[in-house]
Amino acid sequence: MTNTNTFHQPENSVTASALHLQDVCVSVENTKLAGPINLTVAPGEIFTIMGPSGCGKSSLLAAISGTLSTNFKVSGDIFLGSQSITALPPEDRHIGMLFQDDLLFPHLSVGENLKFGIPAAIKNRNERDALAEKALDDAGLPGYMSRDPATLSGGQRARVAVLRTLLSRPCVLLLDEPFSKLDVELRDKFRQFVFRHVKAHHLPTLLVTHDPDDASATGGEIIQMANTFT
Amino acid sequence: MPRKLFGISVIALGLFGFSANGQAAPQSTANWQDVQEKAKGQTVYWNAWGGSELINTYISWVGKRLWDDARITLKQVKVTDTADVVSRVLAEKTAGKNEDGSVDLVWINGENFASMKKQGLLFGPFTQTLPNYKLVDTESKATTIVDFTIPVDGLEAPWGMAKFNFIYDSARVQKTPTSVADLLNWTQQNTGRFTYPSPPDYLGSTFLKQALTELIEDPSVLRTSTTELSELNQATKPLWDFLDALHPNLWRKGSQFPASSSAQQQLLDDGEVDIHLSFNPGAASSLIKSGELAPSVRTFVFDKGTIGNTHFVAIPYNSSSKEAAMVVANFLMSPEAQARKQNPNYWGDDTVLAISKLSAKDQQVFAKIPLGAATLPPQELGPTLLEPHPTWMEYIEKEWLKRYGQ
Amino acid sequence: MKTFRALPSKVFRLRYMPAITLLVFLTPVGAGLISSVLPAFGYLPALGRSDFSGEAWGQLLHHPAIPASIFTTITTGFAATIISLGLALFFVAAWYGSPSYKKTRKMLAPVLAIPHSALAIGLAFLIAPSGWIVRAITPWATGWDRPPDVAIIHDPYGLTLILGLVIKETPYFLLMILAALDQTQAEKRLTVARTLGYKPISAWIKAVQPAIYKQIRLPIFAVLAFSLSVVDVSLILGPSAPPPLSVLVLRWFNDPDLSYRFMASAGAMLQLMIVIAAISLWFVVEVGVSRIFRSRSSMGKRHFFETEIKLASKAGINFLVMLFSGSLLVLVTWSFTWRWRFPDFLPSVWSFHSWQNNLHNLAESAGTTIAVGLAGSIIAIILVVACLENEKQRGKNAGSGALWLVYLPLMIPQVSFLFGVQVISIKANIDSSWVSVIWTHLLFVLPYVFLSLSDPYRSQDNRFFNLALTLGSTPSRAFWRIRLPLLLRPLLFAFAVGFAVSVAQYLPTLFAGGGRFATVTTEAVNLSASGNRRIVAVYALLQAILPLIVFAAAMRIPNFVFRNRQALKGS
């Protein structure tokens, strides 16, 4: 796993820019869930938000990625570099997400899952296959293309999920407690795997977690979010 | 018949509705040749009861012949109950659809005819226009011009003769009853072996009419319309006395009746009852042939006669294929179609034609028709009793329901 | 506050889907109802009456058959619903997860696929005094040479009618319970209760049932309404003197004396009122029962007639399975019969005649049935998916609050609005056309499709869809590649349910098709008038075979497509 850049060729990516949140607030039916939050995450930096469950961490990430349910209201602005992405639909934001569940599409094979992430601009089928295979090789899963995701171990599935996200060439990475479901041994290895890729791709990365180990492993900035409910 | 004439009459109908007896403007001047010309290429949706495989096959044959002869497409719309057709035409009238109606020809008689006539839902008179109509035995078969006491007025073309009769299993019944009164004796000796379909089933109602006709003091009162309740009560008392006596001896002790005449046919074959009712003297033979009843079934009638009527075809006022429908009606009255119809191998239904009016060749054809093992020869069928006026029927059905239907 | 709902134009159109769906629905139903209400108050210009009066109601209420008819309707309707529901609930409670539970589960689809009337015809012959069961033991065991003179079919209490309905409705409830189980974490609740020392049945009743009940309330109301207004099964199995109200009303609608129309319309309204009153009553009793229930469930009693319920529910289900299989088998036998008299156990003369002779008709009516069924189900699926997708994307209350109205056609007796529907389709000049037949079928297909699809659709994990978006996929690609494939199984199942419902429609086909559309069901009902069991059997089987094929396909296709996908394999 040395040359991870192969599936994220710089010439096709948006030039690495920082993620800014400006006065971002999430509320539902006039009850504030999170914010106002102001922060900046530089490319390659992992910014950690810590807080107890129910403090609105996940809602915040959904707001950034644009997938928040329409019952929720979001105010403030989100910038990628100098460009506001606040009004963009999720698919145009180039914000990759990882959850505590791997969420591999159960009806697709491992290879099809990976190729689902590859941008449509790459039209040549062979080229798409090659990209997916290369990614699997690099992640230590050679020959897994046609495997059923359900037959993989938890660690393997988690890695495939990361690869899928990276193959979609995100400009930002959001991590929603992606390590919490793995057992301790695996967790550390996987964390290293993810962080290595974040650095290699110069991705501004936002991590929400309530595990202090996760936070300390990032080596980046940490903020504490309080529960807004009383 | 010029197309325009239809248009005008339809508009007239739309504006003024039919006159009380349901007749449209007379059009006897119409030329049969023109009708046949117009009929070519038309499609006739013939709404006809579809409950008999044999009859459906006969109707398919008619369709084939008409296509060959006249390039008319005949489609049978199988109906469970002709009253549905009345409803449909009524719905069309309700919606103001006075042209291109969904029904072009309907197999009909009795109450349904009375109803369509009264509501102005029929086209005609048209039967005089049909060449074969002059072969119909209107003289001795009075029911071809008076349908359940309602004058036909040329609004429906006679198609077949029906006569109430009984089908029984000769392997199980030796002596058959000879009258309604004798039927009571018979059921006393054969408890639980007779029943009749619950009115308003066609045959169930006919059984009541048969009993009423035989038991009433003065049968002539049945010829006229009566709505006077006391008179009805008084006149029908013998019927209710008879039924009160009869019911305890019936199948299920008279607490339950077959829902339809076909259900009763099944009861006969299942051995649940020994007697079944029929309106077609050839039915027993046909049913043996089709395997629906045992080879041992036979027919009997009452000595003093049974109720008889005629079934017809009529054309709804809003049909868009009236010419073709007329050609179909005419073909149905042809010696060829009537002879086939009378053959128990195809149907076994009595002809409406006067044999004496036919050509010598056609008379031969009729003479050669086999009777069928279970069919009574015409001379043994007994006299034909006339249908009472529909008002009697309505009263009896309601009263029956009140007395026995709950 | 600036909201940044970034929704593509496709969704913008989606938002109209609930409105469109309701329009498709409420127009004919509402207008049909009005066209039926007016005559009830003496307004029917085609019959020369345009004065409003209560005369029809007077006639109706003084009709001699009415009191007994209403009584029969109510007792059979409630009995069928209560027995089916009780049996289904107790069976799942007692046998959940056991081998016999799994075996029963496999029987559900075939039973559901077979139209009520086909089953009723088979059942009637199976249990009649001259039926197969009696023939099996006659004369060697009974000494009878003629069938006993006892009323089994059309019995005055409607017991056979209840039995016929229970055979069909119990599996329907079982299926609805199964669907509800997946959404109520039943397994976990059950485990918790069991570890607290509750026996299986009391654990189920106290920990799972309340949650299940909420989920199946709507199906219960649908079944109750159906049982109170069913026509075809009543005609075949129900009491005849007098028949249930639905049959009486239909008879009046069809009476050649058109003045009966007024009373018929009033009768249809009465029928509607009975259904509404019954559902309200059920609702009230339910509140009371659940109160008693809750006060009891905290008393700590750890068992509830465990053995009795276990044995009784198993026996009940086995009894129904036996009757069902027997009914089906007897239909097959009759379709190959030439002569079969009492008391022969098997036909004396066998024949292919009934199949052969009807081949042409069979092909034609089967073709019409398939065409209408496929079109109706596909349209229903599209509308339902559009409504549900709208809900997913715009939040639950986004215009779909009124969607419960799609269940209206299930609650309203068919006869009460079909005449009106017919009039409207004639006015719109689409009567007797494919459009009107498919549209009218849709009124009954769509509610069942909605009922089958809404839960799986609503409970699908939205994160899959959202994740696809974050991977750069457009909403429409995420919808087609992720949302729908993951829902393949429920989609196909809903499709099969819709198809089966369409196949079974008799009155709607008749009214909307102007009689010109012959489906296997209209043919079966027409021919059942002939009493010719051989042909009736052929059509009844065909009625059963078509939905069965579709159900089988709906079960098999996902298994094939997902043969290498463990997570999506059928259970």
Side-chain angles (χ1 to χ4, degrees), chain B residues 45 47 49-53 56-57 77-81 83-84 86-88 90-97 100-104 111-112 115 118-119 121 169 172 191-193 198-200 250-253 255-257 259-260 262-263 265-266 268-272 274 288-296 394 397-398 401-402 404-406, chain C residues 44-48 63-65 67-68 125 128-131 135 145-156 235 240-243 248 251 253-261 334 338-342 353-354 357-358 361 419 422-423 426-427 429 431-432 506 510-511 514-516 522-523 525-535:
Chain B
Y45 284 92
N47 290 47
W49 182 71
S52 160
E53 211 183 352
N56 293 345
T57 312
V77 175
K78 298 193 185 91
V79 297
T80 322
D81 188 340
D84 293 346
V86 182
S87 296
R88 193 170 314 130
L90 175 70
E92 289 173 357
K93 196 183 171 197
T94 308
K97 185 169 187 167
D100 288 329
S102 64
V103 184
D104 299 311
E111 293 172 287
N112 290 312
S115 190
K118 193 170 145 205
Q119 301 299 336
L121 300 175
D169 189 347
R172 286 186 162 150
T191 318
R193 310 303 304 163
S198 60
L250 294 188
W251 178 75
R252 307 279 190 265
K253 301 192 168 53
S255 66
Q256 195 187 111
F257 294 86
S260 66
S262 40
Q265 178 185 315
Q266 199 64 62
L268 175 67
D269 201 39
D270 288 340
E272 296 211 16
D274 287 339
I288 294 173
K289 195 172 172 292
S290 67
E292 286 169 74
L293 287 179
S296 54
E394 277 167 33
E397 280 178 359
K398 270 194 196 121
L401 207 61
K402 205 191 293 178
Y404 313 112
Q406 47 193 305
Chain C
L44 186 55
L47 291 181
H63 192 279
F125 183 68
S130 54
R135 290 181 195 214
D145 66 331
R146 284 170 181 185
D149 190 4
V150 283
I152 295 179
I153 310 297
H154 305 298
D155 66 290
L235 279 170
S240 55
L248 217 49
R251 196 186 280 168
F253 261 113
N254 288 340
D255 199 284
D257 180 354
L258 295 175
S259 65
Y260 271 81
R261 267 304 161 75
W334 264 112
W338 183 250
R339 286 291 304 149
W340 187 6
R341 281 211 86 182
F342 185 84
H353 173 269
S354 305
N357 214 31
N358 287 285
N361 260 340
F419 178 73
Q422 191 180 20
V423 172
I426 293 169
K427 282 215 165 121
N429 216 10
D431 62 305
S432 316
Y506 172 64
L510 200 66
F511 274 86
R516 292 186 182 183
T522 60
E523 292 288 289
V525 177
N526 280 334
L527 285 164
S528 66
S530 74
N532 187 337
R533 281 194 193 128
R534 303 169 308 182
I535 299 172

Side-chain angles (χ1 to χ4, degrees), chain A residues 51-123:
Chain A
S53 15
C55 71
K57 292 175 301 195
S58 296
S59 302
L60 179 66
L61 292 195
I64 297 170
S65 67
T67 58
L68 198 58
S69 160
T70 45
N71 300 341
F72 295 81
K73 293 258 187 285
V74 182
S75 62
D77 256 318
I78 303 163
F79 292 97
L80 199 55
S82 57
Q83 190 197 352
S84 166
I85 57 168
T86 318
L88 290 179
E91 66 272 22
D92 294 338
R93 294 189 184 194
H94 301 285
I95 293 180
M97 269 194 100
L98 285 173
F99 299 91
Q100 55 178 304
D101 295 311
D102 55 72
L103 295 181
L104 294 181
F105 300 129
H107 63 298
L108 301 179
S109 68
V110 169
E112 285 164 342
N113 262 287
L114 293 178
K115 283 185 280 178
F116 191 91
I118 300 175
I122 301 168
K123 291 200 176 74

Side-chain angles (χ1 to χ4, degrees), chain C residues 317-345:
Chain C
I317 292 286
N318 283 348
F319 180 62
L320 295 187
V321 168
M322 261 165 47
L323 286 177
F324 171 76
S325 320
S327 304
L328 212 55
L329 202 60
V330 83
L331 284 178
V332 174
T333 313
W334 264 112
S335 76
F336 291 107
T337 293
W338 183 250
R339 286 291 304 149
W340 187 6
R341 281 211 86 182
F342 185 84
D344 300 342
F345 178 61

Side-chain angles (χ1 to χ4, degrees), chain B residues 110-111 143 146-150 205-206 208-214 216 219-226 232 279 307-309 385-394 396:
Chain B
E111 293 172 287
T143 54
V146 181
D147 186 6
F148 285 47
T149 74
I150 308 290
S205 300
T206 305
L208 298 184
K209 286 186 271 187
Q210 173 76 30
L212 179 65
T213 311
E214 280 193 45
I216 198 167
S220 69
V221 300
L222 299 177
R223 308 259 56 77
T224 54
S225 157
T226 311
L232 286 165
F279 231 134
I307 285 185
N309 63 34
L385 306 176
L386 289 176
E387 291 273 2
H389 190 275
T391 49
W392 287 88
M393 193 61 252
E394 277 167 33
I396 297 174

